[in-house]
Amino acid sequence: MTLVIRPLTTDLWPSLETLFGPQGACYGCWCTYFRLAPKQREALSADGKKQVLKHAAEASLPPGLIAFDDGSPVGWVQVTPRAHVPRWNTDRTVSRPLDSDDPSDPGLWAISCFFIQSKRRGQGISHALLEAAVTHAGNNGARIIEACPMLKAKQSKSTSLFVGSVSIFEKAGFETVIERKPGRPLMRKVLA
């Protein structure tokens, strides 16, 4: 397997549509779970959520990275400044920033979601996406990059692992800074 990982831009939007499928990945989420407040998400149709992510792909800073194997899209990671995923920062979430951190700081980034094509899960694609996400964030001004992965899922290839697994972040040099809920640590890698 030789992966090519690229930032999601408008020219690659059709590839993301192919990867996410007609439902929009993770039951029609279109990677809006952390981008929108619950009431906003509930008010939108699947197509409305799709348009939110498509609009983000039109911005100068892409909302994430897409992985290709032999030209076919196989994986996605949402990697952005924390400010782009406001629900990740609310007081009620386990992913909220440390008290000393400002979520509007453009140097504080989040890796909030993964999506791997179901038949390709368990093949190391998330590891490659994570490595590329860290590089992408660093190249775009990140000083700190954080994640709030799961220690365990009911099944190792479950879509509930959309936040990633603790083990892949540990292997990439992330360290736990706080664990507000058992099995859901806030992990961090300092880049500069």
Side-chain angles (χ1 to χ4, degrees):
M1 171 174 64
T2 303
L3 292 178
V4 173
I5 300 174
R6 297 179 52 200
L8 177 66
T9 53
T10 54
D11 62 316
L12 295 179
W13 180 257
S15 296
L16 190 73
E17 286 181 303
T18 298
L19 175 65
F20 279 11
Q23 287 190 357
C26 298
Y27 312 105
C29 179
W30 284 99
C31 220
T32 60
Y33 187 80
F34 295 114
R35 287 183 171 274
L36 301 172
K39 287 184 180 181
Q40 288 177 299
R41 285 186 68 248
E42 289 168 13
L44 290 175
S45 65
D47 190 57
K49 293 172 194 167
K50 178 180 177 178
Q51 294 308 313
V52 168
L53 187 58
K54 187 174 184 182
H55 179 70
E58 295 166 354
S60 59
L61 184 60
L65 308 174
I66 186 167
F68 296 87
D69 185 20
D70 196 25
S72 296
V74 295
W76 157 260
V77 62
Q78 181 164 256
V79 53
T80 62
R82 264 187 175 268
H84 294 199
V85 284
R87 188 165 178 222
W88 221 64
N89 304 314
T90 63
D91 289 342
R92 294 183 181 180
T93 62
V94 295
S95 58
R96 68 187 175 272
L98 298 177
D99 291 341
S100 59
D101 290 332
D102 177 1
S104 66
D105 176 351
L108 185 58
W109 280 52
I111 296 175
S112 52
C113 300
F114 288 87
F115 182 77
I116 310 299
Q117 188 180 47
S118 61
K119 65 183 178 183
R120 301 301 300 272
R121 293 179 189 149
Q123 297 178 10
I125 295 170
S126 58
H127 293 268
L129 279 166
L130 176 54
E131 182 180 337
V134 169
T135 300
H136 171 75
N139 290 341
N140 285 282
R143 295 182 324 280
I144 296 170
I145 188 162
E146 295 180 330
C148 195
M150 293 180 79
L151 182 59
K152 292 182 181 177
K154 291 180 182 176
Q155 299 174 352
S156 64
K157 296 181 181 180
S158 171
T159 57
S160 68
L161 277 172
F162 71 93
V163 292
S165 69
V166 168
S167 63
I168 69 163
F169 285 95
E170 287 175 336
K171 288 177 185 173
F174 283 69
E175 296 180 357
T176 297
V177 290
I178 194 167
E179 189 168 349
R180 297 175 173 118
K181 178 180 175 183
R184 287 296 307 278
L186 179 65
M187 301 183 78
R188 159 181 284 199
K189 186 169 187 168
V190 176
L191 304 181

